[in-house]
C-alpha cells in the first residue's frame, strides 16, 4: 500500500507522516517513509527553482518510492509526484512529457491525503516562507486534483489534533484484513 500526503509546503505533512508511521509501526505494520526529496536537491528550489531542479526532484521521488515499495508492506510519502509537479508548473509552465508521466504515476498511489493550508509556513532553513507562494502552489494543486478527477481524503483543518487517528482508522481495514469468521478446518 502506498499513501501520499499532498498539499502546499509548510502545512504539516512531514509531522503527520511521522505520526502515521509511528501509529502503523505500533500495529506491527512494516512501513517506510519516503521523505521530501526537495530538501536534498543540489539545484535551486522554492521560488528560484528551475525545470532541471524539478526534474531532479520528480525522478528522485519516483526512484525512492520504487525502492521503498520493493521491500515494505506500506509506504508513506511526504509529498507525491503531483505536489512536486505543481512546483515545476509554477516555475516553467506545464510540461507535456511530465503530464503523461504524472498521470501514469498517480495510479501507483492507493490513497492521497490532502493536508489543507491552515497555517503560514515558517522558516526551517529550507522552506519558503512567502504566504503568497504557498497559496499559489495550493491553487495549482487544487486545479490539478480537479482536472484529473482525483478524490483525495480531505482533512478538516479544525480537527488537526485527530488527523493521525482518523487516517489510521481509515487505513487499518486495508492493512489488517478481517479474518474469516469460521476458519477452514485443518486436516
Amino acid at each position: 500500500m502506498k499513501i501520499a500526503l499532498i498539499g502546499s509546503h509548510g502545512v504539516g505533512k512531514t509531522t503527520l507522516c511521522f505520526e502515521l508511521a509511528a501509529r502503523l509501526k505500533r500495529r506491527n505494520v512494516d512501513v517506510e517513509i519516503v521523505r521530501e526529496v526537495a530538501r536534498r536537491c543540489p539545484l535551486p528550489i522554492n521560488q528560484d527553482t528551475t525545470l532541471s531542479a524539478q526534474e531532479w526532484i520528480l525522478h528522485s521521488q519516483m526512484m525512492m518510492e520504487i525502492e521503498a515499495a520493493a521491500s515494505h508492506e506500506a509506504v508513506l510519502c511526504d509529498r507525491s509526484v503531483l505536489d512536486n509537479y505543481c512546483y515545476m508548473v509554477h516555475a516553467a509552465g506545464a510540461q507535456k512529457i511530465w503530464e503523461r508521466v504524472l498521470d501514469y504515476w498517480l495510479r501507483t498511489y492507493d490513497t492521497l491525503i490532502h493536508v489543507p493550508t491552515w497555517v503560514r509556513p515558517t522558516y526551517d532553513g529550507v522552506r519558503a516562507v512567502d504566504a503568497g507562494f504557498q497559496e499559489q502552489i495550493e491553487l495549482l494543486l487544487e486545479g490539478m486534483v480537479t482536472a484529473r478527477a482525483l478524490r483525495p481524503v480531505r482533512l478538516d483543518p479544525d480537527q488537526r489534533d485527530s488527523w493521525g487517528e482518523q487516517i489510521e482508522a481509515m487505513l487499518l481495514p486495508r492493512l489488517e484484513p478481517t479474518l474469516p469468521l469460521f476458519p477452514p478446518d485443518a486436516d
Side-chain angles (χ1 to χ4, degrees):
M1 172 176 284
K2 188 164 63 165
I3 302 112
L5 302 180
I6 64 172
S8 194
H9 55 280
V11 297
K13 290 183 303 298
T14 301
T15 302
L16 182 56
C17 198
F18 280 103
E19 179 187 346
L20 286 172
R23 286 175 171 277
L24 294 176
K25 282 192 178 284
R26 281 193 296 273
R27 292 186 172 272
N28 295 318
V29 175
D30 175 31
V31 64
E32 178 66 54
I33 295 175
V34 173
R35 297 185 69 173
E36 183 182 9
V37 298
R39 292 178 178 274
R40 292 186 294 285
C41 183
L43 303 167
I45 62 169
N46 297 317
Q47 294 100 317
D48 297 327
T49 198
T50 63
L51 180 59
S52 293
Q54 291 309 131
E55 288 177 330
W56 185 95
I57 290 167
L58 281 163
H59 281 288
S60 298
Q61 176 84 27
M62 291 185 292
M63 178 205 58
M64 291 178 72
E65 289 180 19
I66 290 168
E67 185 178 341
S71 55
H72 298 281
E73 176 184 2
V75 176
L76 292 175
C77 301
D78 181 2
R79 287 211 174 279
S80 74
V81 294
L82 184 64
D83 316 62
N84 287 323
Y85 182 66
C86 290
Y87 291 89
M88 178 184 280
V89 169
H90 186 271
Q95 305 293 311
K96 292 267 186 222
I97 188 115
W98 279 105
E99 293 271 341
R100 292 182 65 202
V101 171
L102 178 71
D103 290 336
Y104 168 79
W105 201 260
L106 282 168
R107 294 189 308 245
T108 70
Y109 298 107
D110 294 289
T111 305
L112 295 174
I113 299 171
H114 181 251
V115 182
T117 302
W118 63 276
V119 66
R120 295 299 171 215
T122 56
Y123 186 66
D124 65 357
V126 177
R127 179 186 300 132
V129 296
D130 179 345
F133 180 54
Q134 181 191 45
E135 187 175 316
Q136 290 168 1
I137 297 301
E138 183 66 22
L139 289 171
L140 280 170
L141 180 65
E142 285 293 349
M144 289 185 197
V145 164
T146 300
R148 288 170 172 77
L150 300 173
R151 298 176 50 99
V153 172
R154 293 189 177 273
L155 300 176
D156 183 340
D158 295 328
Q159 295 180 358
R160 290 183 309 280
D161 292 339
S162 64
W163 284 353
E165 185 179 336
Q166 291 170 20
I167 297 167
E168 178 186 21
M170 178 196 68
L171 294 176
L172 279 179
R174 298 182 211 176
L175 291 167
E176 296 177 354
T178 305
L179 297 174
L181 186 57
F182 301 104
D185 290 348
D187 291 325

